[in-house]
C-alpha cells in the first residue's frame, strides 16, 4: 500500500489559493484557505465552495439493486423514488454503525451510495459481501467522480446563473442530471452545513472548470472557498453527527438518537435487524446515554474525549466540541446519562484539564436556518 495521500482533481488549485492542507482519511485536503471563522460565516450568510472529492461513491445496479440495498442497509431504499435521496446507515450484525450514508436513486435499477471517506473501503467491502446471491452489481466508483459543494443562502442564485436545470423544482434530498457551466453533473440538493446548498458530482477532468465557473459566478455575492475546518463547525452547529465522533461501531442508530433511520416495517430481513429491535426497546425503556448539546458559560473550548461531569461524578463524554462562530460561544455534542439529558439540566460541566467548566444542556441542533 502506498503511504502517499491521495490527491483530488483540484489539488493544484487549492495550493494556488494558498490553502493549508491536511491529511484526512488518506487524502490531502484543504483545511482552510484563510480564516476559518470567515469561511464559516460566509456559508451562514452568503456562500461557500467546498471540494468533497474524498467522499466514496459506490454504484449499485441491476434488477435486484433495491432488494440488495434493503437487505444491506437499515433504511427503506426500495421506497425511494427515482431522482430522490435518503439518509441512512449500514450496520453490523450486532447493530453497531459501520457508516452513515446518503443513497441516491439515479434510475429504476441504479443507485449511488455515498460513504464517508474514512469508511469508503469498509462500506464497499460490506456491500460486495452482502450482494452474494442477489442479481445486482456493486461497483467502486470513487475514481469516477469529483464532488464540489456550494452551500449557503446565495447558492441557489449562483448555481442558477450557470445551469438551465430546474433548481426551483429540486427538493431537499433530491438530485437530477444537468449541465453546470457546460459540465455534465448530477446536481443534488444535499449538504452538511445546515444551510441550503448543492452537491455537484462530476467527472474529475471537469472539476477545475466547474470550480472556476462557480468562483466567478459567486464572487459578486461573497462566495469564498472553504476547507474542512469550517465544514466541521458548520455541521456541529447544525447538530449533524460525524462518523468516528458521534457514530461508531460501538453504538447503534438508537444510541445515537437516530433510530428514525431504521425501517423495521420494510419487507424482508436486513443485516442487524434482530439486534436493532432489541436496541430500540432498550432506548425506549432504559436508554444508557443520550446525545445532547452543551453551550459553554465561559470561553474554554471542550474537545472530543473530555468528561462531562455533575456533582463531581462523570456522567458522559464529549464527542465533538469547537468555538461556535454563530453563537459566539464554545459548544459541544456529548453522550450523557439519561438523567442529565433534559435541556436545562442543572449543574452539568465539562472537565477541561482538571477544572469543571459550567455548561448549559440544550436540545440539538444549536442552529436552524430560517426557511
Amino acid at each position: 500500500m502506498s503511504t502517499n495521500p491521495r490527491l483530488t482533481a483540484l489539488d493544484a488549485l487549492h495550493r494556488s489559493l494558498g490553502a493549508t492542507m491536511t491529511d484526512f482519511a488518506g487524502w490531502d485536503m484543504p483545511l482552510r484557505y484563510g480564516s476559518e471563522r470567515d469561511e464559516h460565516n460566509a456559508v451562514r450568510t452568503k456562500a461557500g465552495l467546498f471540494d468533497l472529492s474524498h467522499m466514496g461513491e459506490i454504484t449499485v445496479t441491476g434488477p435486484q439493486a433495491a432488494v440488495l440495498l434493503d437487505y444491506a442497509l437499515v433504511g427503506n431504499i426500495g421506497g425511494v423514488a427515482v431522482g430522490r435521496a435518503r439518509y441512512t446507515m449500514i450496520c453490523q450484525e450486532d447493530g453497531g454503525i459501520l457508516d452513515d450514508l446518503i443513497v441516491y436513486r439515479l434510475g429504476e435499477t441504479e443507485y449511488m451510495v455515498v460513504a464517508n471517506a474514512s469508511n469508503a473501503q469498509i462500506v464497499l467491502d460490506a456491500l460486495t459481501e452482502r450482494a452474494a446471491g442477489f442479481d445486482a452489481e456493486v461497483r467502486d466508483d470513487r475514481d469516477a467522480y469529483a464532488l464540489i459543494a456550494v452551500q449557503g443562502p446565495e447558492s441557489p442564485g449562483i448555481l442558477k446563473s450557470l445551469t438551465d436545470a430546474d433548481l426551483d423544482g429540486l427538493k431537499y434530498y433530491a438530485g437530477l442530471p444537468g449541465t453546470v457551466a457546460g459540465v455534465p453533473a448530477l446536481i443534488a440538493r444535499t449538504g452538511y452545513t445546515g444551510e441550503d446548498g448543492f452537491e455537484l458530482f462530476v467527472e474529475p477532468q471537469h472539476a477545475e472548470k466547474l470550480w472556476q465557473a462557480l468562483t466567478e459566478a459567486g464572487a459578486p455575492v461573497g462566495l469564498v472557498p472553504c476547507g474542512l475546518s469550517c465544514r466541521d463547525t458548520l455541521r456541529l452547529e447544525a447538530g449533524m453527527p460525524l462518523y468516528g465522533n458521534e457514530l461508531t461501531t460501538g453504538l447503534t442508530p438508537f444510541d445515537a438518537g437516530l433510530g428514525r433511520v431504521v425501517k423495521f416495517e420494510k419487507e424482508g430481513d436486513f443485516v442487524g435487524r434482530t439486534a436493532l429491535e432489541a436496541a430500540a426497546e432498550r432506548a425506549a425503556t432504559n436508554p444508557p446515554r443520550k446525545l445532547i448539546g452543551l453551550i459553554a458559560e465561559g470561553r474554554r473550548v471542550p474537545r472530543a474525549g473530555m468528561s462531562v461531569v455533575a456533582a463531581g461524578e462523570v456522567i458522559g463524554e464529549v464527542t465533538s466540541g469547537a468555538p461556535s462562530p454563530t453563537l459566539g460561544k464554545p459548544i459541544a455534542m456529548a453522550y450523557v446519562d439519561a438523567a442529565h439529558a433534559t435541556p436545562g439540566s442543572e449543574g452539568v460541566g465539562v472537565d477541561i484539564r482538571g477544572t469543571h467548566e459550567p455548561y448549559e444542556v440544550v436540545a440539538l441542533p444549536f442552529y436552524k436556518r430560517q426557511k
Side-chain angles (χ1 to χ4, degrees):
M1 279 285 288
S2 160
T3 52
N4 293 336
R6 299 180 68 177
L7 307 179
T8 78
L10 295 163
D11 184 73
L13 195 143
H14 298 316
R15 291 170 198 280
S16 74
L17 291 171
T20 300
M21 305 296 285
T22 188
D23 176 56
F24 183 81
W27 290 81
D28 222 5
M29 296 297 293
L31 189 63
R32 72 181 75 81
Y33 298 85
S35 150
E36 51 204 58
R37 175 179 292 269
D38 290 349
E39 292 172 24
H40 179 110
N41 289 333
V43 176
R44 285 278 176 258
T45 59
K46 299 172 187 128
L49 193 58
F50 296 83
D51 178 9
L52 305 179
S53 302
H54 61 314
M55 301 295 280
E57 296 87 4
I58 300 161
T59 304
V60 181
T61 56
Q64 286 194 297
V67 186
L68 162 60
L69 289 170
D70 275 340
Y71 167 72
L73 312 180
V74 301
N76 179 2
I77 309 304
V80 177
V82 173
R84 298 305 301 264
R86 183 152 297 167
Y87 176 76
T88 187
M89 293 182 186
I90 181 167
C91 289
Q92 300 178 146
E93 199 63 71
D94 67 0
I97 303 165
L98 279 174
D99 201 13
D100 62 336
L101 312 164
I102 295 181
V103 180
Y104 297 88
R105 188 168 196 166
L106 303 180
E108 202 52 50
T109 59
E110 184 180 5
Y111 294 82
M112 181 167 67
V113 176
V114 181
N116 286 298
S118 54
N119 294 326
Q121 190 64 47
I122 292 165
V123 174
L124 178 68
D125 292 346
L127 285 175
T128 303
E129 192 182 309
R130 293 173 190 188
F134 290 93
D135 187 2
E137 182 200 348
V138 176
R139 189 173 72 232
D140 180 1
D141 268 348
R142 283 176 288 180
D143 293 335
Y145 292 102
L147 177 56
I148 295 172
V150 54
Q151 298 278 305
E154 296 287 355
S155 55
I158 294 167
L159 203 53
K160 269 183 197 171
S161 71
L162 298 172
T163 183
D164 56 6
D166 177 19
L167 297 186
D168 290 336
L170 189 64
K171 296 183 173 74
Y172 188 49
Y173 267 74
L176 85 171
T179 305
V180 183
V183 172
L186 171 68
I187 305 166
R189 200 165 207 154
T190 44
Y192 194 49
T193 61
E195 296 300 333
D196 192 9
F198 302 88
E199 296 183 321
L200 309 170
F201 296 85
V202 300
E203 288 179 35
Q205 67 195 41
H206 297 142
E208 205 163 309
K209 178 184 175 184
L210 180 57
W211 180 281
Q212 297 288 24
L214 287 162
T215 298
E216 285 166 31
V221 291
L223 172 108
V224 300
C226 293
L228 292 180
S229 188
C230 83
R231 183 170 150 86
D232 192 47
T233 52
L234 289 159
R235 70 94 196 165
L236 177 55
E237 287 183 351
M240 294 175 168
L242 174 66
Y243 195 89
N245 292 45
E246 287 74 39
L247 310 174
T248 68
T249 51
L251 295 167
T252 72
F254 294 94
D255 297 324
L258 291 164
R260 61 183 163 77
V261 305
V262 182
K263 304 299 183 190
F264 293 121
E265 69 276 11
K266 65 179 174 177
E267 276 181 41
D269 194 20
F270 61 90
V271 177
R273 180 192 268 271
T274 305
L276 289 168
E277 283 172 343
E281 202 165 307
R282 274 198 312 277
T285 54
N286 187 23
R289 285 188 165 174
K290 286 188 170 179
L291 187 64
I292 58 154
L294 294 169
I295 300 179
E297 291 179 22
R299 309 299 313 163
R300 297 182 76 186
V301 179
R303 297 296 180 194
M306 288 181 173
S307 295
V308 182
V309 291
E313 298 290 313
V314 174
I315 58 156
E317 188 176 300
V318 171
T319 52
S320 296
S324 163
T326 306
L327 275 63
K329 294 176 179 180
I331 59 172
M333 285 201 268
Y335 282 108
V336 302
D337 296 347
H340 298 275
T342 311
S345 291
E346 297 288 318
V348 173
V350 174
D351 185 340
I352 302 182
R353 286 179 285 285
T355 307
H356 292 183
E357 299 285 338
Y359 274 74
E360 181 192 353
V361 177
V362 297
L364 294 168
F366 299 98
Y367 165 85
K368 214 166 190 170
R369 70 182 170 97
Q370 304 302 308
K371 295 287 186 219

